[in-house]
Amino acid sequence: MKLFTFFRSSAAYRVRIALNLKGLTYEAVPKKLRTGEHRRTDYLALNPQGLIPALEHEGVVLAQSLAIIEYLDETFPDPPLLPDFAVGRAQVRAMAQGVACDIHPLNNLRVLNYLREVLGQNDEGVNRWIAHWIAEGFRGLEEQARRHSADQKHCYGGAVTLADVLLVPQMYNARRFNCDVSAFPTLVKITAHLEQLPAFAAARPEAQPDAE
Ligand SMILES: N[C@@H](CCC(=O)N[C@@H](CS)C(=O)NCC(=O)O)C(=O)O
């Protein structure tokens, strides 16, 4: 198994957590986002969307972190990342998609570059944008976690789910951009617990071979 990754890519961070939770070994193939390695023809031949991550398994290359993680969960079901009942699965997916669809895309590198280079925003403007959209998304996620967490250690119930796999990298990004997360105590508490787990700790950006 090969993971096309970048140490600071939060979408790749999600897949690294899922691979570790499943106990799967993989070869990390780093692609430097800053130098545009993800836009070169060799990588576009593998992943035409030109985004990190992609996962190669048994000769097939998969794109999109949520699709990859659900593929891993179906192919290697132990431990499961989704509840065993339909309502639970929908609720966990709703939390995960809140991060993957509604927070992360607004703060992605190409969006930030567009704000800077085309719309002429300075660092202050870009940082306000980042903080605004993270806070906006975290508001709903905080309430969902408050309702669904059984122990303030997991977003949903009392075991690791897809929602946790998505939360931790997004919280990493929030801290990286100095966002004030004090209004989201449940998310902060859950993250603090999860970051201690070996599968999450080994996936953190600083622990990657391509970390700068
Ligand atoms: N929805 C995609 C997002 C992937 C994504 O945006 N990856 C970022 C790194 S976290 C990327 O490749 N950015 C390159 C760019 O913006 O040019 C997923 O979940 O895999």
Side-chain angles (χ1 to χ4, degrees):
M1 216 178 276
K2 261 189 208 170
L3 177 67
F4 298 89
T5 180
F6 177 62
F7 77 105
R8 208 181 265 146
S9 155
S10 55
Y13 187 176
R14 301 167 191 161
V15 177
R16 295 195 299 260
I17 294 169
L19 286 162
N20 294 344
L21 286 167
K22 302 283 181 186
L24 298 167
T25 52
Y26 62 92
E27 179 192 344
V29 183
K31 295 282 168 195
K32 278 198 180 73
L33 294 186
R34 218 170 297 118
T35 56
E37 286 183 0
H38 59 302
R39 296 275 171 202
R40 296 201 184 135
T41 47
D42 59 336
Y43 185 66
L44 290 176
L46 296 170
N47 178 6
Q49 292 185 347
L51 295 169
I52 296 296
L55 183 81
E56 187 183 303
H57 183 223
E58 295 184 340
V60 177
V61 179
L62 300 171
Q64 288 288 339
S65 62
L66 281 184
I68 294 169
I69 295 168
E70 290 226 19
Y71 166 80
L72 290 172
D73 204 34
E74 288 172 17
T75 311
F76 306 97
D78 193 34
L81 296 178
L82 288 168
D84 61 2
F85 60 109
V87 167
R89 284 194 292 279
Q91 288 172 327
V92 167
R93 285 188 176 117
M95 296 174 88
Q97 289 174 23
V99 173
C101 307
D102 298 335
I103 302 178
H104 176 267
L106 289 163
N107 295 332
N108 202 356
L109 180 65
R110 58 188 173 166
V111 172
L112 304 183
N113 285 345
Y114 191 86
L115 283 172
R116 276 197 187 91
E117 292 161 15
V118 180
L119 301 182
Q121 292 298 312
N122 57 19
D123 282 348
E124 193 203 331
V126 171
N127 288 338
R128 277 182 62 188
W129 169 277
I130 293 170
H132 174 80
W133 293 114
I134 290 180
E136 184 73 13
F138 271 5
R139 248 189 297 282
L141 198 60
E142 168 75 14
E143 178 57 22
Q144 286 173 310
R146 214 185 51 74
R147 290 182 195 182
H148 294 308
S149 176
D151 54 8
Q152 304 257 310
K153 292 179 177 170
H154 304 90
C155 289
Y156 194 91
V160 171
T161 65
L162 183 64
D164 299 307
V165 173
L166 274 280
L167 170 65
V168 168
Q170 190 58 56
M171 188 61 85
Y172 169 87
N173 270 356
R175 292 195 182 119
R176 180 178 158 217
F177 292 111
N178 295 317
C179 300
D180 179 5
V181 291
S182 58
F184 315 111
T186 314
L187 300 181
V188 168
K189 223 178 284 171
I190 291 170
T191 303
H193 166 75
L194 295 169
E195 282 176 339
Q196 307 301 316
L197 303 180
F200 286 77
R204 71 191 197 284
E206 298 73 21
Q208 304 315 301
D210 61 322
E212 288 159 9

